[in-house]
Every structure is written in C-alpha cells, then in structure tokens.
Amino acid sequence: MSASSLIPTTEPRFQVPDVHGRFGQFGGMYVPETLMTPLLDLTKAYDEARRDPAFQKAYADMLVEYAGRPTGLYYAEALTKHCGGSKIYLKREDMLHTGAHKINNVIGQALLAVRMGKKRIIAETGAGQHGTATAAVCARFGLKCVIYMGATDMERQALNVYRMRLMGAEVRGVEAGQRTLKEAVNEAMRDWVTNVRDTHYILGTAYGSHPYPMMVRDFHRIISLESKQQMIRAEDRLPDTVVACVGGGSNAIGSFFEYLDEPGVQLIGVEAGGRAIKTGEHAARFAGGRLGVLQGCMTHILQDGEGQIEGTHSVSAGLDYAAVGPEHAYYHDKGRIEFAYANDQECLDAFQLLSRTEGIIPALESSHAIAHGCKVAADGPRTNIVLINLSGRGDKDVWSAARAMGVEIKL
Ligand SMILES: *Cc1c(COP(=O)(O)O)cnc(C)c1O
C-alpha cells in the first residue's frame, strides 16, 4: 500500500462529516467559546498534515516499526467449530504494541502535535488502554504527558496506572461524579482550555467535537484497509459480516470503514448490555438512548427525561460510556450499520471461550464482539464468513474478570 493513499479525501465515503463536522444531524462542535479557536486550528493543521506526503509517510512508518502493523487476519478454526456455522476470522488488533487498536490513533495525533509545535500532551482514559498507548508514544517523542482517569477506574485498572507512570506519564485521578470516563473527559477539557498554547489533547475515541470523530476514524481506517486485502488474499472474496464492539466507536468505525460502500457486507456494532437494559445497568446507547449533546457532539445518549446523563454499567471499562460516536448514530439511522448488545455474562463466557478454544485471551471489550459474532456465525450458513475485530488483548482484564467470575487471585 502506498503511504500517500492512507488518508485520501476525494472518495464518497469521505463526504461525511461536512465542513462543520456534521454527520447528518449528528456530530458538530458543541464546546465553550474558548475551545473554538484551538479546535479550528486543529482542524486546519490536520487538513494540511494529511495532504503532506511526509506526514503520511511518518505515520505509515510508525505503524509498521513501532506499533507492529500489519496485524494478522486469523482463521479461528476451533472457535468456528465450537460456534457451528459460518467461518470466523479474527482481525488481530490485540497483537499491537500496548495491547489494543488505540495506538493507531495515538501515533497519528502525536505526530500532529509535534508538527503543531506542542510540547505537552493530555488525554483521558477509562480502562487505561488509551492512557497506556498515549504514555508510550509520548515517551518515544519526549513529550510531557498528563493522563486524566476516574478514581474508580484507577482502582479497577491499577496495573495500567502503574504502566503509565513507568513510562513517565503523570496520572491524575478524578474524584467527581461517578469517578469514571465521563468525569475524566471533563477534566481533560478543562486542562485544555487553560493550557492550549503548548498542549494537544489526544482524545481516545471517535467522539467529541469536530475534528476528533473524523480524525480518529481516519487513523483507524488502516484496520479495514488491511482486512479487506487480507480477506481477498485468503478467501478471494469479502466477508459477509463484520462485527466490532462499540464504546466511543473507534475500533468499530476503523474496521467497518472500507466496507461501508460494499452493500453485500453486513456491519454490526456490539454495545455493552451490562446487567440488564434498565436505567443505570448498561451502556447500550441504541437500546435506550435519545438524541442529545454531550462533551462536544450531538448523538445518541443515555439520559433521563430532564436530559441528565444516566449512570452506566459494564463489566468492561472501555465500553462504559453514556454516548456513542456521531458517525455510528448517522449510519444507524441510515440503516447501514446494525447494532446489537452482549450482556456482562455473555461477555465473560466469550472471554473464557476464546481463551479455551484458540488460546487467545481477548479484552473484555472485544469479548462482546466475540459473543455476538459467535451467535451470527451459529445462525449463518457454513459458506458465509464472519470477520470479528479483536480490538485488544485481555491481559489487563485477568484480575477483574477473575473477580467477576468469583475467583480470588492471591499473590
Ligand atoms: C478502548 C477500547 C475499546 C472501546 O473503544 P472504541 O473507541 O469504541 O473502540 C474497545 N476495545 C478495546 C480493547 C479497548 O481498549
């Protein structure tokens, strides 16, 4: 693949968002006035960067040499046999440096920050995966790095907190509200307003104000660029279905993107069903959300009658967020991307299933996609192909998964 083809802008699929960052009625720039200038500066800088072959080459080289791309496309024969039905392939984003797809986006944004002359990076993190990827890349580029993380998440993901600190990042705990991702994003935005002159905010998913949903999507597009070529090489055809889990939506939009204009390919996003589809017990925005504005963009949001954001729950911290990326809301309403959910128990079952059948421990987030992908395969003919995006590895989750399954790990 030529480096300059990574982020072209002329194809029809790139016509959303429009110049105002709108995906139909979704997206936009719903931010305080003080953030408008930095966001417009960022939009302009990104637009120039992606037209610059030197930037494209630096990004492509880092993906190969630092992140470990391309990731494999793996025929999961034992999982296929277990589920019974269609052939299951896994796109192995779990093999990337720092353990998940997140590094694709962080590399792109860090290169952009360097290009813009920023010396300091801030980021939010939920499960700690985005914070870990950001800390790693900042260490590599010699950038000062501050990570905001909810205090509850810091307890749930203590290992990732240590990892970030080991790589030189400062991790700041956030005690407000539910003490999770939403509050960490608020703190990061507050920091950015204050320090915007020397600071770039590396947002971790395809969410927030324009240009983030577009930019993060573009940096993850590599997933489907690769999988499409790999699938044609392996099977001489495209998959019938692509399945990915959806938190903010970055691994999903990256793994769907090149298939959006292939009408024969079904695209399914899997949200967190939590304990039950009841207020405060889940994070399935398409199962209980309504149109609203949160943290920079208009989208489907879990909220009460007064527009107050509802509490969420998922066994996986990375899917535990009240709103979904605007591009997913757009394609949901167009009927191009379907949405399903897997509950906590189905997730934990899939976590064990993939470990036992294939010797691959998936992230709890990715386990949602495995759970639903297995169902789709079971219902499909043997001649069909289901491609599941394995967004990350489960090493980080072993502790909390064991606890959720009633096992105490004693050290
Ligand atoms: C963060 C994370 C997710 C959820 O984020 P998206 O932006 O929706 O992809 C999913 N899987 C893994 C492994 C993650 O670390």
Side-chain angles (χ1 to χ4, degrees):
M1 179 195 326
S2 78
S4 61
S5 71
L6 237 58
I7 313 170
T9 54
T10 51
E11 300 158 50
R13 281 164 299 153
F14 284 97
Q15 283 169 8
V16 290
D18 64 18
V19 291
H20 305 293
R22 293 197 159 275
F23 301 82
Q25 66 175 323
F26 305 108
M29 303 178 83
Y30 294 89
V31 293
E33 214 151 332
T34 41
L35 279 179
M36 278 308 279
T37 303
L39 283 164
L40 293 172
D41 287 350
L42 180 60
T43 306
K44 188 160 166 286
Y46 174 59
D47 199 49
E48 287 168 6
R50 69 175 167 181
R51 284 163 210 285
D52 179 355
F55 180 83
Q56 296 262 3
K57 182 172 184 323
Y59 168 65
D61 286 350
M62 278 285 280
L63 287 183
V64 172
E65 288 154 20
Y66 191 72
R69 301 209 73 92
T71 60
L73 180 77
Y74 171 68
Y75 169 42
E77 196 174 355
L79 180 67
T80 297
K81 200 174 272 174
H82 176 93
C83 298
S86 309
K87 255 177 144 169
I88 300 175
Y89 276 84
L90 304 177
K91 179 61 173 161
R92 298 291 309 272
E93 295 295 293
D94 63 313
M95 296 293 275
L96 288 173
H97 180 46
T98 66
H101 67 289
K102 298 256 171 27
I103 193 107
N104 301 325
N105 166 48
V106 172
I107 286 173
Q109 287 200 48
L111 286 168
L112 190 58
V114 170
R115 186 184 165 98
M116 293 175 79
K118 309 283 186 185
K119 304 266 186 277
R120 180 175 177 270
I121 297 293
I122 56 170
E124 84 295 339
T125 199
Q129 285 302 106
H130 176 56
T132 302
T134 303
V137 174
C138 285
R140 163 67 183 77
F141 284 115
L143 295 162
K144 186 171 161 46
C145 179
V146 175
I147 306 292
Y148 289 94
M149 188 170 189
T152 302
D153 289 337
M154 283 180 77
E155 289 157 21
R156 288 199 275 196
Q157 300 287 345
L159 203 58
N160 269 340
V161 174
Y162 183 73
R163 225 173 250 152
M164 289 183 259
R165 287 179 173 154
L166 191 61
M167 292 185 285
E170 180 190 336
V171 182
R172 294 188 187 166
V174 180
E175 294 287 349
Q178 254 194 311
R179 305 156 88 229
T180 60
L181 183 59
K182 176 162 64 71
E183 291 77 23
V185 173
N186 282 338
E187 279 309 306
M189 285 171 79
R190 220 164 276 149
D191 181 314
W192 204 32
V193 171
T194 316
N195 300 300
V196 70
R197 204 174 271 278
D198 73 334
T199 299
H200 174 65
Y201 177 15
I202 301 191
L203 208 149
T205 186
Y207 193 78
S209 168
H210 184 61
Y212 285 105
M214 170 183 79
M215 188 167 69
V216 176
R217 169 199 74 191
D218 291 352
F219 289 140
H220 285 301
R221 177 199 182 203
I222 187 70
I223 303 171
S224 52
L225 270 175
E226 285 178 7
S227 78
K228 202 171 183 181
Q229 290 183 1
Q230 289 167 321
M231 197 50 107
I232 288 167
R233 223 176 294 140
E235 295 274 355
D236 203 23
R237 69 184 194 84
L238 298 179
D240 298 280
T241 307
V242 184
V243 181
C245 66
V246 185
S250 70
N251 89 88
I253 200 67
S255 52
F256 295 163
F257 196 71
E258 289 300 309
Y259 301 101
L260 281 168
D261 58 1
E262 302 282 0
V265 181
Q266 179 189 34
L267 305 173
I268 307 179
V270 186
E271 300 184 284
R275 284 184 286 257
I277 303 299
K278 287 185 190 154
T279 303
E281 299 285 310
H282 71 104
R285 290 69 44 109
F286 291 112
R290 282 186 299 115
L291 189 68
V293 170
L294 179 64
Q295 295 180 328
C297 85
M298 183 170 287
T299 184
H300 280 272
I301 299 172
L302 294 171
Q303 55 187 316
D304 68 16
E306 264 84 57
Q308 293 298 312
I309 304 307
E310 286 176 358
T312 51
H313 162 80
S314 170
V315 69
S316 67
L319 303 187
D320 199 350
Y321 187 63
V324 66
E327 193 158 10
H328 289 286
Y330 174 73
Y331 284 115
H332 169 267
D333 284 16
K334 281 178 85 96
R336 181 63 190 99
I337 303 179
E338 299 163 43
F339 290 85
Y341 56 81
N343 65 33
D344 284 356
Q345 191 56 53
E346 290 169 323
C347 162
L348 291 168
D349 291 346
F351 179 78
Q352 295 170 88
L353 174 65
L354 193 66
S355 301
R356 287 206 186 132
T357 53
E358 297 286 351
I360 298 171
I361 303 174
L364 286 174
E365 291 82 7
S366 323
S367 300
H368 288 75
I370 300 290
H372 192 73
C374 183
K375 279 189 198 170
V376 172
D379 291 343
R382 281 170 195 278
T383 47
N384 272 17
I385 296 170
V386 176
L387 168 59
I388 304 175
N389 195 49
L390 188 57
S391 53
R393 68 180 89 126
D395 306 38
K396 70 181 172 62
D397 294 315
V398 169
W399 194 272
S400 58
R403 192 180 312 157
M405 292 183 287
V407 179
E408 262 319 310
I409 299 175
K410 291 209 173 69
L411 292 180

